Amino acid sequence: MTATTEAPPSSDHDDRDARRIAVEQPVLGALLAATPSYDTVSDVAKVLRGGGDFARPAHGLIYEAVIRLHGRDNPTTPIAVASELERGGNLVRVGGAPYLHKLVSLAYPGPSAAYYANHIRGLARLEDFFNTAVRGAQRARTADPEDPDEAIGGHLAEVEQLLAGSLDDEDLDFGRFGDGLDEHLDSLEADVEKPFAVTGFEDMDALMRLEVGQLILAAGRPAMGKSAFALGV
């Protein structure tokens, strides 16, 4: 009698990763197959936040190498990307040059890459949401019953951070360093008062001016009204 063993069922996490990788490979292939006639890299970079959006760390390394090359006006062919990865000691970690050529064989057509890059970003955010929900459940199980607000407030703060990341995505833009440089230098020489905004809170407006380009943090303990304040502004 011959004993047989069954493979263990795949976990939900494995299934989610497989779904993400199935989209990541053709998008990366499109970046490696980009030509001067169609700047696929710029279109995709407007959508993705970085290598952390990829389920497979090797894919994140490949994407970051592509972005570095593109930023230096260098081609993003498999040969160029392999050299860039090798300089950082990461070529073997991503599967070597053969894997880069495999990605090219799976590439989406150039115009489709940005569309599927949205899927990569969306799946990455859903993974963050899933992990946030798991941590929320863990908080609920271990929270002090005499002070549930602390656990609830901590979870809400994480969810707010996810939503804030979504709003930030809408403001992202990607371009070359020299684009608009002359205009920026001219603006520095112009003696013009910068426009500013008001918060609607008169005491605060008397103390500070909100100008374009500033990063202002509303900080405080959970459930202290930060979100209500920000929405009010």
Side-chain angles (χ1 to χ4, degrees):
M1 180 179 294
T2 302
T4 60
T5 58
E6 294 184 0
S10 61
S11 68
D12 181 57
H13 185 272
D14 291 339
D15 291 341
R16 295 198 309 274
D17 279 355
R19 181 185 176 194
R20 294 173 65 185
I21 290 169
V23 182
E24 293 172 4
Q25 289 178 321
V27 170
L28 288 173
L31 301 183
L32 296 171
T35 63
S37 61
Y38 189 86
D39 192 0
T40 310
V41 180
S42 289
D43 286 347
V44 170
K46 291 176 182 177
V47 178
L48 300 181
R49 298 295 298 269
D53 280 344
F54 292 84
R56 181 176 287 178
H59 289 171
L61 293 172
I62 294 170
Y63 177 75
E64 289 168 356
V66 167
I67 293 300
R68 288 196 299 273
L69 289 169
H70 186 265
R72 300 197 297 263
D73 287 328
N74 290 335
T76 59
T77 62
I79 294 175
V81 173
S83 297
E84 179 71 16
L85 289 166
E86 191 168 25
R87 276 194 291 273
N90 291 319
L91 182 58
V92 174
R93 293 176 62 189
V94 306
Y99 185 66
L100 299 179
H101 288 283
K102 176 185 175 180
L103 293 176
V104 173
S105 70
L106 300 172
Y108 288 128
S112 301
Y115 172 79
Y116 287 104
N118 278 294
H119 287 223
I120 293 176
R121 179 64 185 150
L123 288 168
R125 296 196 68 242
L126 288 174
E127 183 70 13
D128 290 341
F129 178 46
F130 176 85
N131 292 331
T132 299
V134 169
R135 288 191 293 272
Q138 292 171 341
R139 279 194 180 97
R141 286 196 297 267
T142 59
D144 182 355
E146 295 185 1
D147 187 16
D149 289 348
E150 182 176 357
I152 296 171
H155 182 62
L156 288 177
E158 282 201 63
V159 174
E160 288 175 355
Q161 188 174 2
L162 283 177
L163 291 174
S166 175
L167 295 175
D168 289 344
D169 289 348
E170 299 175 3
D171 298 328
L172 288 178
D173 196 7
F174 184 86
R176 302 189 186 281
F177 176 77
D179 294 347
L181 182 59
D182 290 338
E183 181 181 350
H184 174 65
L185 293 176
D186 290 341
S187 69
L188 295 179
E189 296 177 357
D191 186 16
V192 179
E193 183 180 358
K194 293 182 180 179
F196 64 95
V198 294
T199 66
F201 297 93
E202 295 180 357
D203 291 342
M204 180 175 291
D205 292 332
L207 294 173
M208 61 185 295
R209 293 161 60 98
L210 302 182
E211 297 181 357
V212 175
Q214 289 180 323
L215 172 64
I216 299 175
L217 302 179
R221 292 171 49 203
M224 294 295 290
K226 298 185 299 295
S227 298
F229 164 73
L231 291 172
V233 171

